[in-house]
Amino acid sequence: MLFLGDGPSYQELVEFNQQKGNEEWIRFLGRIPHAQIQQYIAMMDVAISPHATPYSSPMKILEYMAMEKAILAPDMENIRDILEDGRTALLFKPDDAQSLKEKLLKLINNPDLRQQLGKNARQDVIAKFTWLGNARKTAEIAAKLVANHK
């Protein structure tokens, strides 16, 4: 298991992992330069976003989608704007360790589900979340506004 990034509990988690003697199985790599992130995501079978700010759209989830990864993320309104539970990801109850564990075990034990979620997520990110797609939507909206003003 790889943990990328850091946060307020990073050092505490590293120390707990060392005390349990799990360094061979669980690795905390800290912050990774953005240019290197892709190679780490490529190693993952499941990409987990354990927490999300409620007012933003996490770029890492879009990166996971683009790389066709099975995603596990919190069930929050802004996440549901990007992911569909059971079709492009599995969503767990925020701040509920048992819910996260259940969904993670479901992904670990079902490689076909992981593969299908990853494929669906990639299709969605290409169809809905590219700059070209956003430019097309903006042009369509502008054309409608101009047409309504005539």
Side-chain angles (χ1 to χ4, degrees):
M1 182 175 279
L2 293 177
F3 285 87
L4 306 179
D6 62 7
S9 57
Y10 177 80
Q11 194 56 44
E12 181 182 343
L13 291 170
V14 169
E15 290 170 9
F16 180 79
N17 192 47
Q18 289 170 341
Q19 290 169 4
K20 293 293 183 180
N22 292 330
E23 296 97 334
E24 184 178 344
W25 307 104
I26 302 173
R27 299 196 181 186
F28 289 84
L29 303 181
R31 286 191 174 263
I32 303 293
H34 194 266
Q36 297 174 12
I37 289 291
Q38 192 173 15
Q39 69 187 15
Y40 289 95
I41 295 173
M43 291 186 246
M44 299 176 184
D45 293 317
V46 177
I48 304 172
S49 179
H51 178 75
T53 305
Y55 54 82
S56 69
S57 182
M59 283 300 297
K60 64 183 166 189
I61 289 178
L62 297 172
E63 291 170 339
Y64 300 156
M65 293 172 77
M67 293 187 67
E68 209 169 292
K69 296 300 172 180
I71 301 167
L72 182 56
D75 189 357
M76 300 169 60
E77 186 176 348
N78 60 320
I79 302 301
R80 286 189 308 274
D81 285 343
I82 306 168
L83 298 170
E84 183 181 338
D85 189 31
R87 193 181 79 73
T88 59
L90 291 186
L91 303 180
F92 63 90
K93 293 176 192 165
D95 301 318
D96 184 329
Q98 185 62 34
S99 176
L100 187 149
K101 177 183 173 182
E102 289 169 7
K103 301 290 177 105
L104 179 57
L105 288 173
K106 184 174 183 177
L107 289 171
I108 288 170
N109 293 317
N110 194 334
D112 292 337
L113 176 61
R114 291 194 310 264
Q115 183 179 26
Q116 191 59 55
L117 291 173
K119 284 181 189 252
N120 292 344
R122 178 159 171 80
Q123 289 170 353
D124 268 20
V125 81
I126 290 169
K128 299 177 184 177
F129 301 110
T130 63
W131 287 113
L132 182 58
N134 286 338
R136 282 188 187 122
K137 287 178 197 171
T138 303
E140 289 170 9
I141 292 168
K144 287 178 185 175
L145 290 172
V146 168
N148 289 339
H149 261 333
K150 290 183 180 181

